[in-house]
Amino acid sequence: MSDASTGAVVDPVTFEILRNAFNAICNEMSLVVVKTAYSTVVNEGHDFSASLYDRHGKLVTQGEFDLPAFVGITQLTVPEVVRAIGIENMKDGDIYLINDPYVASTHCNDVHLVKPLFYEGGLVGFATSTAHWSDVGGILPGSLNSRARTHFEEGIRIPALRIFRQGVLNRDVLQILLANMREGWERNGDLNAQVAAVNVGEARVRAAIEKHGLEQVLQSMGEVQNHSERLARAAWSAIPDGTYEGEDRIDMDVYTGEPVAIRLKLTIEGDHATFDFRESDSAAQAAINCTIAATTSGIFIATASILPPMPMNAGVMRTIEIVANRGSIVWAQPPVAVSGLAATSMEMVISATMQALTKASPERGVAVPYSILNTIFAGSDRRAGFEADFINYVWSFGGWGATKYADGPNAVASAYSGGTQSIPCEIQERRYPMLWRRYQLGQDSGGAGRTRGGLALDQLMEFPYTPGTLSCIGDREVFGPPGAFGGGPGALAGLVVNKGLEQERNIGIFCSGAPIEPGENVSFWSAGGGGYGDPLERPADAVVEDIRDEYLSPAAARSQYGVVVREIDPRRLAYEVDRTATESLREKMRAAR
C-alpha cells in the first residue's frame, strides 16, 4: 500500500489498525455529543455526525452511526473553510463554525464545527462535528418554513468564521448568533457539546500519532481514501456501460401549485460514473431547493444503498462526476430558500439516483423509500414547573422500498436520515406539552409488488394543555414513492387536524405556523415504500401472511394482488386462499392491463 501524495509504503497491519482507529475516533466524538448535547433532536434523535479529514481537507472517515446526509455534504464543508480562512492563517486551538447552505451545508439548521489538528507545529488534518440546531432564527420557530422565498426568512446564514481563536472563545460572535436564535441556552449547550467532540478528536489523533508515528498516520489517511477509490471503481466496472435514467417529482411549489421534477441521466463508462441533472427543473419559489452539497450527499446515499459496501469518503468522489445547472432545483443559488430540501428535493435526488442504479444493477437494486416528514410543534408550555417556550422537532419514519429478494422494512428512517433514532413518545411527553395517542404501522401502505414495500408510520398527537403552532415540510402527498420493475408506489403521506371530527381540517404537509388549540389533535402519517416486481406474482400465501400480520386488509389483497381470501375466523387470524378464484381474478387483471 502507498500514500498517493508521498508514494510512501504503508504497512498493511498498521493500516488496518489505523483505519479502524479513525472510525473509532469519529464514533467517540459522536458519543460525546450524545452525552452532552442539550437538545432532544441531538441527544435523543442523533441528528449529528463526526468526521476526520486529512491535511488537504479531504474526507477520510465518518462515524459509523451518524447521519448519512452529512457524508456528501462534508465533502464540501472543510474545503470551503480552508478556502475562506486559508491554511496559512490557521492556528493551533482554532475552531471554525459554518452553516452556509449554498457552499457547505444543507439548510441553515445544520451547523458545522471544524477544528484544524496540529502536531509539533504542522497541520495533520481536521476534526469536524455537525449537528442540527433546533432553531437558527427566521420567521417560524424551528426555522423550517415551507413558504419562505429567501434564506432571510429561514434563519441566520453563517459563513466560515473563528468561534475559537487559539483556544479562546469569541464571545462577541457567540452573543450575536444566540441573540438571533430562539432558546439560545439550548443552542449554546449544543455548541459546547460539539466543541467537546472536536477536542476529543484532536486528542485521539494526537495519541495515534504518538503511538504509530506521524508518517504512518498521514499515509494511512491517504490509503483509506485510495482503498475506497479502488472499491468504487471495481463496483462501477461490474455494471454494464450505458446511460440509465431516473426521475421523480416534488409534490408542488406552494406558490405555483405545480410539481417540480428532478431528472437524472447516469452514464457509466468503465470505472467512472457521471450524474447529469441538467434536465431538472429550475429553482422553485418556495423553500424546496437543493444545495449542491445536499445533491452530492443524495448521490452518495443512494450509491451507498445499492453498490457493494465501501467506506464513503473522498476516494469515492474521484470516481464520479456531477453535472448540474447553477440556479436549478438541484443547485440552489442565494438567496432562494432551502430549509425544506431535506424532505423534498434531496429526497428526490436520492429517488432519481436509486431508480437509475436499480436499472443498472437490478440484482442489487431497490424500489424508492418514503420521504421524511419534518414537523415542528412550538408554543409556550403552561404546565406547572415548565413555564417556558418550547420547540419540538419531530420527524416521521416510514416504509422502505422492496428489493428483488425481500420486502421493504417497515417504519424505519429515510435514506438520508438512517443514523437517527425514533425519539420515544414518553420522552417527548415529559419535555413538551403534548401526548401521543397513536403510534402504529399504516395498514395497506406498502407498495404492491412481488416483494412488498415497507409500511408507513401512522401517528396521532394531542395538545391537551396549551395552544401552539405546527409547521411541516414533507412530500409524497401527491406522488407516492415509485416501485421498481412493475411494482406499485407506496401509499401517500398526509397531515390532518382533528381527523374524523366535526372540526377536521386538512392543513397538508406544507403547512407553516398553523395554530393548534388546546384539546385538538394532529394526525400525520408518512408514505409507504415502493414495491418491486409484478404484484400478481407475489405468492398468495405471502399475501395471507401479510393479512395475519395486519399489514394488509383482505380488500387490498384482492385489489392490489388479485388474491381472494376467505375469512374463516379473523379473531384467530384464520384465513385461507380461494385458489380457484385467485387464479381467475389474476388472469382477468393481467388481461385488463
Side-chain angles (χ1 to χ4, degrees):
M1 298 179 181
S2 64
D3 173 38
S5 62
T6 65
V9 175
V10 180
D11 171 69
V13 175
T14 303
F15 166 73
E16 275 300 308
I17 292 172
L18 285 170
R19 183 177 69 85
N20 285 281
F22 298 150
N23 291 340
I25 290 169
C26 292
N27 291 340
E28 186 174 356
M29 285 195 286
S30 295
L31 184 62
V32 168
V33 171
V34 169
K35 296 296 185 181
T36 59
Y38 280 21
S39 64
T40 304
V41 66
V42 176
N43 60 30
E44 291 289 342
H46 292 193
D47 196 343
F48 59 72
S49 74
S51 304
L52 282 179
Y53 298 74
D54 66 16
R55 56 187 169 176
H56 309 294
K58 301 297 185 182
L59 179 64
V60 174
T61 191
Q62 186 190 36
E64 295 172 322
F65 311 107
D66 295 351
L67 197 76
F70 295 141
V71 180
I73 289 162
T74 53
Q75 302 277 353
L76 285 72
T77 304
V78 173
E80 171 60 19
V81 171
V82 170
R83 185 203 65 78
I85 303 296
I87 285 181
E88 68 280 5
N89 299 317
M90 293 180 174
K91 304 295 183 183
D92 195 1
D94 283 359
I95 300 178
Y96 312 109
L97 184 150
I98 184 172
N99 79 342
D100 189 341
Y102 303 103
V103 292
S105 191
T106 45
H107 45 205
C108 293
N109 293 78
D110 292 328
V111 178
H112 312 263
L113 262 60
V114 178
K115 183 167 191 177
L117 309 178
F118 290 86
Y119 186 78
E120 295 182 349
L123 181 67
V124 298
F126 299 86
T128 73
S129 173
T130 300
H132 179 106
W133 288 15
S134 297
D135 185 275
V136 288
I139 294 175
L140 294 176
S143 310
L144 300 182
N145 181 3
S146 65
R147 303 195 70 85
R149 291 181 181 269
T150 70
H151 69 80
F152 301 108
E153 303 167 71
E154 299 177 312
I156 188 167
R157 175 186 171 195
I158 310 167
L161 54 81
R162 284 185 180 84
I163 195 67
F164 280 81
R165 184 184 295 270
Q166 294 182 267
V168 179
L169 174 65
N170 189 332
R171 296 187 181 277
D172 293 340
V173 169
L174 180 60
Q175 287 179 346
I176 292 172
L177 295 179
L178 297 182
N180 284 277
M181 301 177 184
R182 300 168 182 87
E183 298 183 345
W185 62 273
E186 189 174 89
R187 309 291 82 75
N188 192 40
D190 287 352
L191 171 66
N192 289 337
Q194 291 180 258
V195 170
V198 295
N199 286 342
V200 165
E202 177 184 47
R204 298 298 179 262
V205 170
R206 181 177 292 116
I209 291 172
E210 291 173 350
K211 182 175 183 178
H212 299 283
L214 176 60
E215 284 306 310
Q216 288 289 296
V217 169
L218 295 180
Q219 292 162 15
S220 293
M221 284 183 172
E223 183 54 32
V224 166
Q225 298 169 58
N226 296 340
H227 175 62
S228 290
E229 180 182 359
R230 290 191 292 270
L231 292 175
R233 293 196 183 282
W236 296 127
S237 297
I239 297 174
D241 284 1
T243 296
Y244 307 91
E245 297 186 4
E247 178 179 343
D248 211 337
R249 292 168 290 178
I250 305 167
D251 284 350
M252 71 179 72
D253 178 335
V254 296
Y255 287 108
T256 66
E258 296 297 323
V260 181
I262 290 178
R263 303 179 183 92
L264 167 65
K265 288 185 177 178
L266 166 63
T267 300
I268 298 174
E269 296 178 300
D271 61 359
H272 183 271
T274 300
F275 295 81
D276 187 344
F277 289 93
R278 286 177 295 183
E279 293 183 8
S280 297
D281 286 350
S282 299
Q285 296 180 41
I288 58 175
N289 298 290
C290 204
T291 65
I292 191 61
T295 294
T296 302
S297 194
I299 292 169
F300 261 59
I301 292 164
T303 299
S305 299
I306 293 179
L307 294 190
M310 67 186 75
M312 301 300 289
N313 58 36
V316 178
M317 280 294 290
R318 300 171 193 160
T319 73
I320 69 175
E321 179 183 3
I322 301 172
V323 184
N325 297 324
R326 288 181 182 269
S328 70
I329 187 68
V330 299
W331 195 345
Q333 297 295 293
V336 302
V338 298
S339 61
L341 67 83
T344 56
S345 53
M346 186 177 179
E347 294 273 24
M348 296 305 104
V349 168
I350 294 171
S351 171
T353 305
M354 281 185 168
Q355 291 178 59
L357 285 171
T358 295
K359 293 172 183 175
S361 184
E363 297 295 312
R364 304 193 64 88
V366 61
V368 175
Y370 84 108
S371 297
I372 197 169
L373 295 184
N374 286 322
T375 51
I376 304 289
F377 302 97
S380 181
D381 193 345
R382 296 178 180 175
R383 293 176 297 170
F386 287 85
E387 295 86 353
D389 292 342
F390 73 93
I391 302 172
N392 187 20
Y393 173 41
V394 182
W395 52 83
S396 294
F397 288 8
W400 251 77
T403 68
K404 183 176 181 179
Y405 303 103
D407 294 339
N410 302 323
V412 294
S414 75
Y416 92 85
S417 63
T420 59
Q421 295 189 151
S422 176
I423 302 172
C425 300
E426 295 80 2
I427 288 178
Q428 296 188 60
E429 291 175 344
R430 167 63 178 164
R431 296 182 181 179
Y432 308 106
M434 52 189 63
L435 294 176
W436 257 254
R437 299 301 190 188
R438 184 171 67 242
Y439 195 91
Q440 66 187 32
L441 297 178
Q443 191 178 53
D444 298 338
S445 58
R450 185 174 62 248
T451 48
R452 172 186 42 75
L455 270 62
L457 181 62
D458 182 9
Q459 303 180 67
L460 177 65
M461 186 276 296
E462 182 183 349
F463 274 78
Y465 313 107
T466 181
T469 63
L470 169 61
S471 300
C472 181
I473 301 182
D475 205 12
R476 302 299 188 190
E477 198 173 20
V478 178
F479 307 109
F485 300 111
L492 300 175
L495 189 155
V496 177
V497 177
N498 301 322
K499 186 178 181 182
L501 302 178
E502 185 178 346
Q503 303 84 9
E504 177 178 321
R505 59 187 189 275
N506 184 357
I507 61 176
I509 56 178
F510 286 97
C511 61
S512 297
I516 306 294
E517 297 301 324
E520 292 196 306
N521 65 65
V522 178
S523 180
F524 56 109
W525 58 96
S526 56
Y532 191 112
D534 187 348
L536 301 184
E537 295 179 3
R538 185 169 177 82
D541 290 338
V543 174
V544 171
E545 190 61 32
D546 282 347
I547 293 175
R548 293 193 182 103
D549 290 334
E550 298 184 345
Y551 292 172
L552 195 67
S553 67
R558 185 184 187 97
S559 63
Q560 296 179 18
Y561 293 95
V563 175
V564 181
V565 176
R566 297 192 188 98
E567 299 183 27
I568 300 172
D569 188 348
R571 295 175 302 169
R572 292 177 172 81
L573 304 179
Y575 302 90
E576 68 177 21
V577 178
D578 185 329
R579 300 194 182 276
T580 300
T582 294
E583 183 177 348
S584 175
L585 178 58
R586 285 186 162 182
E587 285 298 322
K588 291 179 181 178
M589 294 174 71
R590 290 189 184 99
R593 288 176 173 173

